[in-house]
Amino acid sequence: MIADKKDNIAPKRENGQLKEELQIGFIGNPNSGKTTLFNAYTGARLKVANWPGVTVEKKQGAFKYHKHIYKLVDLPGIYSLTSYSIEEKVSRQYILSDDVDVIVDVADASNLEKNLYLALQLIEIGKPLVLALNMMDVVEERGMEIDTHRLHEMLAIPVIPVSARKKTGLDILMHAVSHSTDMDLKHKRIMVYSDPIEDKIEKLVQRLVAYDPAIYNPRFFAIKLLEQDKEIMETYPIDVSDIVDRSYETDIINEKYDFIEEIVEETLINKQEKEIFTDKVDSVLTHRIWGLPIFFAIMGLVFFLTFALGNGITGILEQWLEGLGSWTETVLKDLRVGPVITSLLVDGIIAGVGTIVTFLPNITILFLALAFLEDSGYMARISYVMNGLMSKVGLSGKAFIPMLLGFGCTVPAIMATRTLENQRDRIKTILITPFMSCSAKIPIYILLSGLFFGKFAPLAALSMYVIGLVTGLLTAYLVNKIEKGMDKKKDKGRGQELNQLLIELPEYKTPNAHSIFIYVWENVKAYLTKAGTTIFLASVVLWFILRFGTGGFVEDMSQSFGASIGRILVPVLGPAGLGFWQIGLSLIAGLAAKEVVVSSMGILFGIANVESALGLSAMQQSLAAIGFGALNAYSMMIFVLFYTPCVAALAVIGQELKSIKWTALVFAFQLVFAWLASILVYQIVGLFI
Amino acid sequence: MTLKEAKNGKLYVVEESTIGQPVKRRLEAMGLIEGTLIRKINQALDGSIIFMVRGNRLAIGKELADYILLREALDSDLERGRRGSCRDHGRGRGHGRGHGHGRGFRGTCARGQALGKMLDSDLSGMEDKN
């Protein structure tokens, strides 16, 4: 009955020998620790956090174990093999492709019941499969026990207890994987359905084999046909209407869960509900009334720490940098290096790159705070407490997760929109996420507010976050209104439920020091790398165009090429109070990376360290000399808040929207919006002072 | 009653879910199917709800909550849970069809015991305090 012929999804062998290289796919429910396990094997430092949907892209890595090369693929978490959101499609496509030799189902052993549903479906595919029972350390902590021997008997696949966090059981898991390549699950009946369903499966198997004698696992496809899976129905366009008179999906799910209950009953010993801690924390953090104010208070604290505390620590770096500048100048003088090179090093590179480095404490604190929010388990709750507000602007609370990540960096934030099921919601969220001030804008806010707002500086900086958030929400609201207007003309039959909140809330846990370290370090490293590459290059280029004019090397920067470029923008930026060639030039430079706005001002005003007291007053004098005051500064902050995200963010927007037209539209929208908003602020506030 | 009308901290049995596809399918994959015991945990001002189903702690929007119909968990549900006895599923298991592996392990019904475990956690102090 069942064809023995192997087609392309059978395990790969070369000349009867096991391949030297094995492709292993890590799959499992969201937040079951696939990425932690992946990191443990490959030494990679992919981001891990305690909320479902951290991994949205398939990531690959390799390591050598005994004679084999193991190629690991980390996949986005899924609940079932039906395709619902983008990340689910990514995972399902990969698992069903012929690229994978062995599937490792990474299950959260501390929550066996919900993780077994996917396991049963994977078993039905019939490919070599190993069940990794992750988080066994948590299971032990809670005084639970899992009879892995019995579990193996019931599921007929290797069951290996591991702890990705404690790095236990890793060798045994790979050992099991290497011995599972020619596992034959197709001929085993692990999940047996009730008689009526089994009868239908049997009939469908006959039809499928008649249609395609080489079919790999007709039972799997028969079950999918019973579920009326669209993709499979297209792959096998045979008439089965006499057998499949309706979708049997719910029946099949029901019976799977019946079996899961049996498994849990027989294998889980001393099941303890350790959810009480989470319930207690949730009764405060997700409180009916206090949930939202608490969230705003937490975010207020995060930004207060970023600006107030960060500036305190900065002092050490400033002194060090000032020393470096003058030391370099003396050394170069002693070495009789020409003034042009000295100027490039001191006025160009140290002034440009050095300026950026002094903001490191602020950036570190912000990412530390975000890491805490993400690793504690609070992140998913934010989408619940914000759902009311978000649904007023036509988005689900889930869309707030990318927005919040946007306070760190726009690039991963845009990627995180993949967890949103509704395409329109995704586009809207991608449109407004850049309004959430990313960490690269922090130096600009600190610099300008520090220059002009004295003791109100943190307040001025904080106002940027509030204005950005409110504008983002208003934009979503307006887009939603326009959409609704258009929908009324068309038919209304689209799945309204799709943009409804549906998210799993993980258990709270004490943030893991290692995960937090990785998170913060990777971001700090990225910031420093940017200082060493993009900002370094931009500084050199800026120094050149500011020190050279039509007549060669110039002492007076206003005679330089740079000044000529900046002057083009003067009439455009004039109404916004930004009609200065220096400002125009630094805003253009800021397209490369937002930090460059600050580094270029450092070069423009010849100050090695704009954050020191001396640097600040010198810069203030230079700015005052050209007529740039507090209102101009605020207008500039507004402009920077809204204007086009950096090149990297634009690239990822392009990649996610898959449309040059839309990307160009986002680019133009943000540029025009920034221009109008800064004009508005400058003109209206100008009336009152 | 709908999930929205249910009380925090109490146990209910899912009677019907009339949510449209594909969201319904997603919820079913997470274990929200007819006859399943769920525990409502929290409800926000806007009507969003947190509830527990089969070890999944889920947050859903109010429009979805409107389409999940429940009945109160009866003493018999709870009693059955405590005893760990089997509920009549009303369907055969296909005994004697000769499918081989796995067949021998399908003796008991465990749904009741699973209910019992949820019940114990329910009794451990999570009554609604609102």
Side-chain angles (χ1 to χ4, degrees):
Chain A
M1 178 68 48
I2 291 158
D4 278 326
K5 284 181 194 168
K6 284 183 177 142
D7 71 359
N8 58 347
I9 57 172
K12 286 180 220 163
R13 278 175 173 260
E14 276 157 19
N15 307 323
Q17 286 295 306
L18 207 58
K19 285 201 324 174
E20 293 276 293
E21 213 181 273
L22 279 179
Q23 277 268 3
I24 302 157
F26 279 1
I27 197 148
N29 282 6
N31 218 21
S32 65
K34 294 171 291 298
T35 305
T36 312
L37 196 60
F38 179 89
N39 285 350
Y41 279 116
T42 60
R45 285 175 162 183
L46 298 182
K47 182 183 164 182
V48 293
N50 186 22
W51 50 278
V54 179
T55 307
V56 289
E57 239 190 344
K58 141 177 135 182
K59 291 272 167 62
Q60 312 208 22
F63 73 102
K64 220 176 156 179
Y65 174 67
H66 291 172
K67 268 184 277 174
H68 294 296
I69 292 172
Y70 290 81
K71 290 205 164 165
L72 299 186
V73 179
D74 184 30
L75 295 162
I78 57 173
Y79 292 101
S80 75
L81 285 176
T82 46
S83 43
Y84 178 60
S85 59
I86 297 179
E87 80 255 41
E88 278 188 0
K89 281 175 195 157
V90 171
S91 297
R92 168 169 146 148
Q93 268 163 18
Y94 177 76
I95 284 299
L96 293 176
S97 76
D98 55 354
D99 293 337
V100 62
D101 294 314
V102 180
I103 303 170
V104 174
D105 178 10
V106 183
D108 173 2
S110 69
N111 209 334
L112 201 55
E113 187 176 8
K114 75 168 189 194
N115 280 264
L116 282 175
Y117 179 70
L118 183 68
L120 287 185
Q121 291 184 80
L122 291 170
I123 287 170
E124 275 170 355
I125 293 181
K127 284 194 190 185
L129 175 70
V130 174
L131 181 63
L133 283 184
N134 194 17
M135 308 198 195
M136 282 307 277
D137 50 327
V138 180
V139 172
E140 279 162 31
E141 256 170 50
R142 294 188 189 168
M144 288 151 58
E145 267 179 84
I146 295 173
D147 185 345
T148 51
H149 183 71
R150 186 84 183 109
L151 194 57
H152 162 66
E153 276 182 330
M154 293 183 86
L155 295 176
I157 53 168
V159 176
I160 314 293
V162 297
S163 167
R165 214 173 42 165
K166 300 258 163 81
K167 299 195 179 184
T168 57
L170 300 187
D171 278 359
I172 305 169
L173 177 61
M174 276 309 135
H175 185 79
V177 165
S178 66
H179 285 274
S180 300
T181 45
D182 46 7
M183 180 196 287
D184 184 16
L185 275 175
K186 306 196 291 286
H187 297 106
K188 291 179 180 165
R189 289 286 166 272
I190 293 132
M191 170 72 216
V192 183
Y193 297 92
S194 59
D195 287 346
I197 302 267
E198 282 293 340
D199 285 340
K200 284 183 188 293
I201 292 174
E202 211 160 288
K203 280 180 197 153
L204 286 170
V205 164
Q206 283 172 19
R207 297 266 176 98
L208 281 164
V209 173
Y211 177 80
D212 175 12
I215 189 167
Y216 171 66
N217 184 0
R219 184 177 166 88
F220 171 70
F221 293 110
I223 293 167
K224 285 287 149 199
L225 284 179
L226 263 184
E227 291 174 353
Q228 296 192 329
D229 184 293
K230 273 207 188 92
E231 256 175 61
I232 304 298
M233 282 163 78
E234 277 162 22
T235 319
Y236 296 101
I238 43 179
D239 182 29
V240 289
S241 51
D242 53 321
I243 307 171
V244 189
D245 49 335
R246 61 178 174 91
S247 170
Y248 284 85
E249 195 170 13
T250 303
D251 308 63
I252 288 169
I253 294 173
N254 257 308
E255 296 198 15
K256 279 208 178 85
Y257 266 108
D258 283 347
F259 184 33
I260 289 168
E261 281 174 3
E262 284 177 40
I263 298 172
V264 169
E265 175 56 30
E266 290 205 26
T267 59
L268 193 61
I269 300 148
N270 194 18
K271 187 186 177 192
Q272 255 187 9
E273 300 282 343
K274 187 73 186 286
E275 287 133 6
I276 293 153
F277 171 70
T278 292
D279 282 341
K280 281 194 175 133
V281 178
D282 262 345
S283 66
V284 179
L285 291 183
T286 63
H287 187 272
R288 204 162 61 90
I289 292 154
W290 298 112
L292 201 57
I294 288 172
F295 167 61
F296 285 132
I298 289 173
M299 289 318 287
L301 184 70
V302 166
F303 291 119
F304 175 77
L305 289 176
T306 303
F307 290 107
L309 188 66
N311 286 356
I313 308 170
T314 306
I316 307 156
L317 280 176
E318 282 165 0
Q319 284 170 5
W320 181 78
L321 203 77
E322 251 169 83
L324 182 74
S326 48
W327 177 81
T328 314
E329 214 166 346
T330 346
V331 168
L332 291 178
K333 227 174 229 169
D334 289 350
L335 292 173
R336 294 172 201 284
V337 176
V340 177
I341 302 290
T342 308
S343 169
L344 171 65
L345 277 171
V346 177
D347 305 334
I349 294 167
I350 295 180
V353 177
T355 304
I356 291 313
V357 175
T358 55
F359 294 100
L360 203 56
N362 308 87
I363 307 286
T364 309
I365 290 174
L366 176 72
F367 280 113
L368 204 60
L370 285 179
F372 245 83
L373 292 183
E374 291 194 43
D375 214 41
S376 62
Y378 185 55
M379 198 68 174
R381 267 84 183 176
I382 293 172
S383 64
Y384 169 78
V385 294
M386 283 296 286
N387 191 47
L389 204 61
M390 294 296 282
S391 60
K392 290 209 169 62
V393 303
L395 285 169
S396 127
K398 223 169 155 184
F400 200 74
I401 291 182
M403 288 166 70
L404 192 72
L405 294 175
F407 289 131
C409 175
T410 311
V411 173
I414 300 280
M415 297 285 289
T417 60
R418 290 188 177 193
T419 51
L420 302 175
E421 292 83 8
N422 184 319
Q423 187 62 19
R424 289 197 196 189
D425 278 18
R426 274 196 81 205
I427 295 175
K428 273 187 267 182
T429 312
I430 288 174
L431 185 72
I432 64 176
T433 297
F435 287 164
M436 309 301 117
S437 293
C438 75
S439 61
K441 291 174 184 169
I442 288 176
I444 307 168
Y445 297 159
I446 294 179
L447 173 67
L448 290 173
S449 62
L451 276 174
F452 294 100
F453 298 103
K455 62 177 178 178
F456 297 110
L459 212 64
L462 206 64
S463 71
M464 289 299 121
Y465 289 87
V466 178
I467 293 172
L469 180 61
V470 170
T471 310
L473 292 177
L474 279 176
T475 307
Y477 178 76
L478 284 175
V479 174
N480 190 45
K481 278 274 168 204
I482 296 166
E483 254 185 4
K484 267 191 180 159
M486 291 198 311
D487 272 356
K488 263 178 200 158
K489 286 167 201 156
K490 292 184 200 161
D491 64 317
K492 293 172 193 158
R494 72 187 174 94
Q496 278 298 325
E497 292 92 354
L498 265 182
N499 62 3
Q500 277 293 306
L501 176 69
L502 169 53
I503 192 170
E504 189 193 340
L505 307 180
E507 302 269 304
Y508 285 108
K509 69 175 178 73
T510 319
N512 178 272
H514 186 67
S515 309
I516 290 197
F517 170 76
I518 289 180
Y519 185 105
V520 174
W521 170 239
E522 289 299 308
N523 279 296
V524 164
K525 203 170 74 181
Y527 185 79
L528 287 176
T529 311
K530 205 159 49 165
T533 53
T534 315
I535 296 164
F536 174 83
L537 266 172
S539 300
V540 172
V541 170
L542 270 168
W543 178 84
F544 266 103
I545 62 170
L546 284 170
R547 285 298 172 184
F548 289 86
T550 40
F553 187 78
V554 289
E555 269 302 320
D556 181 7
M557 283 194 263
S558 62
Q559 304 298 315
S560 66
F561 291 124
S564 313
I565 298 169
R567 280 195 190 100
I568 302 170
L569 283 183
V570 167
V572 185
L573 292 173
L578 303 173
F580 309 93
W581 68 263
Q582 293 94 330
I583 305 298
L585 186 65
S586 50
L587 288 176
I588 296 175
L591 287 175
K594 286 291 178 291
E595 297 95 330
V596 177
V597 175
V598 164
S599 64
S600 61
M601 287 181 83
I603 300 166
L604 275 161
F605 299 104
I607 299 141
N609 181 4
V610 293
E611 258 214 283
S612 71
L614 196 72
L616 272 181
S617 63
M619 190 169 207
Q620 205 169 6
Q621 280 164 18
S622 313
L623 282 166
I626 60 169
F628 190 92
L631 182 54
N632 306 70
Y634 202 74
S635 168
M636 183 167 174
M637 284 163 75
I638 293 281
F639 190 90
V640 168
L641 161 65
F642 290 123
Y643 95 124
T644 309
C646 68
V647 179
L650 266 180
V652 78
I653 290 173
Q655 172 200 319
E656 293 303 304
L657 291 177
K658 289 193 188 77
S659 150
I660 296 171
K661 194 186 87 186
W662 270 99
T663 312
L665 212 67
V666 170
F667 178 88
F669 167 71
Q670 259 132 9
L671 205 57
V672 172
F673 194 95
W675 183 65
L676 290 175
S678 54
I679 290 177
L680 205 70
V681 167
Y682 186 71
Q683 298 297 340
I684 291 179
V685 182
L687 293 176
F688 297 98
I689 55 173
Chain B
M1 78 188 86
T2 64
L3 180 54
K4 209 163 112 186
E5 292 155 356
K7 285 205 178 88
N8 287 356
K10 283 235 147 77
L11 283 164
Y12 297 88
V13 176
V14 177
E15 283 207 312
E16 205 188 347
S17 144
T18 52
I19 295 165
Q21 300 288 16
V23 185
K24 184 180 181 188
R25 198 181 303 136
R26 160 66 70 94
L27 279 168
E28 285 175 339
M30 289 168 152
L32 190 108
I33 44 181
E34 280 166 42
T36 310
L37 207 65
I38 71 170
R39 180 161 59 92
K40 184 170 172 181
I41 295 175
N42 215 340
Q43 178 161 340
L45 279 181
D46 70 292
S48 308
I49 283 165
I50 300 177
F51 66 97
M52 193 90 183
V53 56
R54 292 180 191 274
N56 274 312
R57 185 183 298 267
L58 299 181
I60 60 169
K62 76 163 186 287
E63 274 88 349
L64 294 183
D66 280 343
Y67 292 108
I68 296 172
L69 300 176
L70 310 169
R71 67 168 170 80
E72 264 179 58
L74 301 170
D75 277 351
S76 59
D77 296 315
L78 309 182
E79 191 55 35
R80 191 180 70 231
R82 226 172 249 129
R83 282 204 322 272
S85 65
C86 184
R87 188 178 101 158
D88 180 20
H89 287 266
R91 39 175 123 80
R93 270 286 178 197
H95 286 282
R97 287 163 59 104
H99 285 303
H101 200 94
R103 167 71 39 215
F105 306 116
R106 313 296 292 277
T108 56
C109 159
R111 172 167 285 184
Q113 298 220 321
L115 294 180
K117 270 151 200 159
M118 274 194 94
L119 173 69
D120 290 340
S121 84
D122 180 53
L123 294 178
S124 54
M126 275 318 298
E127 291 301 319
D128 183 23
K129 291 182 182 74
N130 291 341

